[in-house]
Amino acid sequence: MGGKDIINEVLTLKRERKAVILAHNYMNHDVQVVADFIGDSYDLALKAMETNAEVIVFAGVRFMAEQAKALNYDRIVLAPDPNAGCTIADALDVDTLRRVREEYPNVPVVLYVNSNANVKALADYIVTSSTAVRVVKKLGSDVVIFGPDSNLADYVAHMTGKRIIKVPPSGRCVVHGSYTARLVKEARARYPRARVMIHPEAPINVLRLADFVGSTNQMIEYARSSGYNEFVIGTEIGMLNALRIKVPGKVFHPLSTGPYARCPFMGMVTLEKVHGSLRDLVHRVEIPKSIAEAIREAFERTRKLLE
Ligand code: 13P
Ligand code: SF4
C-alpha cells in the first residue's frame, strides 16, 4: 500500500472504529498527519481523559499507552508496538522503590510519568517534564523521593532547593542523557543567532547552558511566542516534525544528529503499525484494575495540587 493509500485507510478505520489517535511530539511525520492530537506526555494524558472515543490508539512508547489505559480503564487502548519501551522507565523496579519507601517512611514519592505501570502504582504523585518542578515546589515536605530519571531529579533539586532522594541513583534517557556541554558550545558557534532550548532530561551542566528548559510542548510554546525566529532544539529529533507543523515559518536546528539523536523506541512506532493495530484491534494494553486505580488516584492527586 502506498503512502497516500495507507493514510486514507487509517482515516477511514478511525471513523469506522470510533477511534482517536494520540501522537507524541516525537512521532514520524506520517503518524502525526493521521493524529487527532499531537502533544507532550501531560497534554496527551489529559486528552486521553477527555475523549469520548471507543478506541484510543496511543502513538508513543508503552508507558504512555499504559497511562492512557489507567485513565480510561473501560476503553480499548492500543499500543501499535507494545515493545516500544523507555530506558528511564526500565531503570526502576517495584522492589527497589519499596526498599527506598521503607527507608524514608514519611517522605512523599514523586514519580516521573516515564515509569512502568506496576511501579507507577506505588507513587504518591505522578509528574511530567512540564509539571515536575511545580509539583515538588507545592509539596509540604522539604525532602522528596523522586525517580526514575536522575537528570530530571537534579533539575528539580536545582529549581526547588529541596533535598531529592533519587530512586534509582542513575536512571537516564538514551537520547537526552547523552548530551554534553560541548554539543551546546558547537551549536552556538554554528548558529550564533539561535536560542537554545533543552529538555530537562539532559544533565544539569548542559541545562545550565540553555536559554530555555522545558517539555516538548513548552518548547513549542516558547518557539511560537518568544519573538525569536531561530532555535537549536535539544530534544529527540522527531520533535522537528511537530515544530515545523505547529510553528511554521521559523527555523529549527537539531542540537544533535549523532547516533543518539533518535529515540530507538519512539522510532519503532510507524504508520504501518498504527494501521495494523487499528485494523485488527490488536496490541491492546492490559493492566490489572488495582494498578490502574492506583495510578489514576496518584494522577488526580497531582492534578488537584496543580489547580
Ligand atoms: P515530554 O513530556 O516533554 O513530551 O517528554 C516525554 C519524553 O519521553 C521525553 O523524552
Ligand atoms: Fe524514554 Fe528518552 Fe525515548 Fe523519551 S526519548 S521515550 S525518555 S528513551
Side-chain angles (χ1 to χ4, degrees):
M1 215 187 303
K4 270 236 167 76
D5 293 343
I6 190 165
I7 287 176
N8 286 334
E9 194 162 315
V10 170
L11 296 176
T12 306
L13 282 168
K14 223 167 45 160
R15 278 192 302 277
E16 286 172 4
R17 306 266 189 263
K18 298 189 173 51
V20 70
I21 299 180
L22 306 181
H24 189 265
N25 286 322
Y26 296 159
M27 285 292 107
N28 289 327
H29 182 78
D30 53 7
V31 174
Q32 297 198 356
V33 166
V34 297
D36 298 277
F37 300 102
I38 305 168
D40 68 2
S41 306
Y42 191 61
D43 198 21
L44 293 177
L46 296 184
K47 286 285 183 296
M49 286 179 101
E50 285 162 13
T51 183
N52 292 322
E54 289 175 13
V55 176
I56 298 172
V57 183
F58 207 113
V61 291
R62 196 179 52 240
F63 75 79
M64 297 178 178
E66 285 178 349
Q67 180 71 31
K69 180 68 184 177
L71 300 175
N72 281 279
Y73 200 71
D74 297 328
R75 290 178 215 264
I76 296 173
V77 177
L78 305 176
D81 189 327
N83 295 316
C86 168
T87 52
I88 293 177
D90 291 343
L92 183 58
D93 59 70
V94 165
D95 290 344
T96 306
L97 182 56
R98 284 216 171 103
R99 268 201 306 277
V100 176
R101 262 207 111 117
E102 275 163 25
E103 210 181 316
Y104 302 96
N106 298 315
V107 176
V109 174
V110 178
L111 289 190
Y112 192 26
V113 69
N114 299 35
S115 306
N116 293 324
N118 57 340
V119 175
K120 211 186 292 181
L122 300 177
D124 297 315
Y125 299 91
I126 295 170
V127 298
T128 64
S129 54
S130 65
T131 62
V133 170
R134 272 187 294 152
V135 168
V136 172
K137 258 189 195 158
K138 285 197 167 204
L139 290 178
S141 171
D142 284 336
V143 190
V144 170
I145 297 169
F146 189 99
D149 186 21
S150 156
N151 288 332
L152 184 62
D154 287 340
Y155 180 63
V156 168
H158 171 72
M159 295 298 284
T160 62
K162 295 194 179 186
R163 179 174 163 227
I164 304 293
I165 298 160
K166 292 189 198 181
V167 56
S170 60
R172 290 262 154 74
C173 164
V174 66
V175 175
H176 303 94
S178 73
Y179 291 168
T180 59
R182 186 177 165 171
L183 267 183
V184 180
K185 284 174 194 154
E186 284 171 359
R188 284 206 187 276
R190 210 171 311 132
Y191 309 111
R193 282 188 301 277
R195 303 291 284 176
V196 176
M197 307 196 268
I198 306 184
H199 196 279
E201 289 172 12
I204 192 79
N205 66 314
V206 178
L207 296 179
R208 284 184 206 277
L209 302 175
D211 298 310
F212 180 82
V213 175
S215 77
T216 53
N217 263 24
Q218 288 169 330
M219 287 184 190
I220 291 170
E221 203 34 52
Y222 181 72
R224 196 182 268 146
S225 61
S226 66
Y228 297 99
N229 287 318
E230 189 180 354
F231 303 87
V232 168
I233 309 305
T235 192
E236 209 267 358
I237 203 160
M239 178 70 183
L240 294 174
N241 297 320
L243 282 161
R244 286 170 185 153
I245 291 175
K246 292 188 175 177
V247 195
K250 297 204 177 185
V251 180
F252 302 102
H253 312 284
L255 176 66
S256 166
T257 53
Y260 302 113
R262 181 75 171 128
C263 170
F265 313 108
M266 289 283 181
M268 288 163 74
V269 183
T270 59
L271 181 61
E272 287 70 21
K273 288 179 187 168
V274 169
H275 172 254
S277 69
L278 188 53
R279 182 193 55 210
D280 303 332
L281 294 179
V282 288
H283 304 312
R284 298 180 186 207
V285 180
E286 304 291 357
I287 53 177
K289 195 164 191 174
S290 57
I291 286 193
E293 274 166 9
I295 293 175
R296 197 185 164 95
E297 265 175 38
F299 191 77
E300 288 293 6
R301 188 178 300 124
T302 313
R303 274 223 302 173
K304 285 221 174 74
L305 194 72
L306 287 168
E307 276 168 11

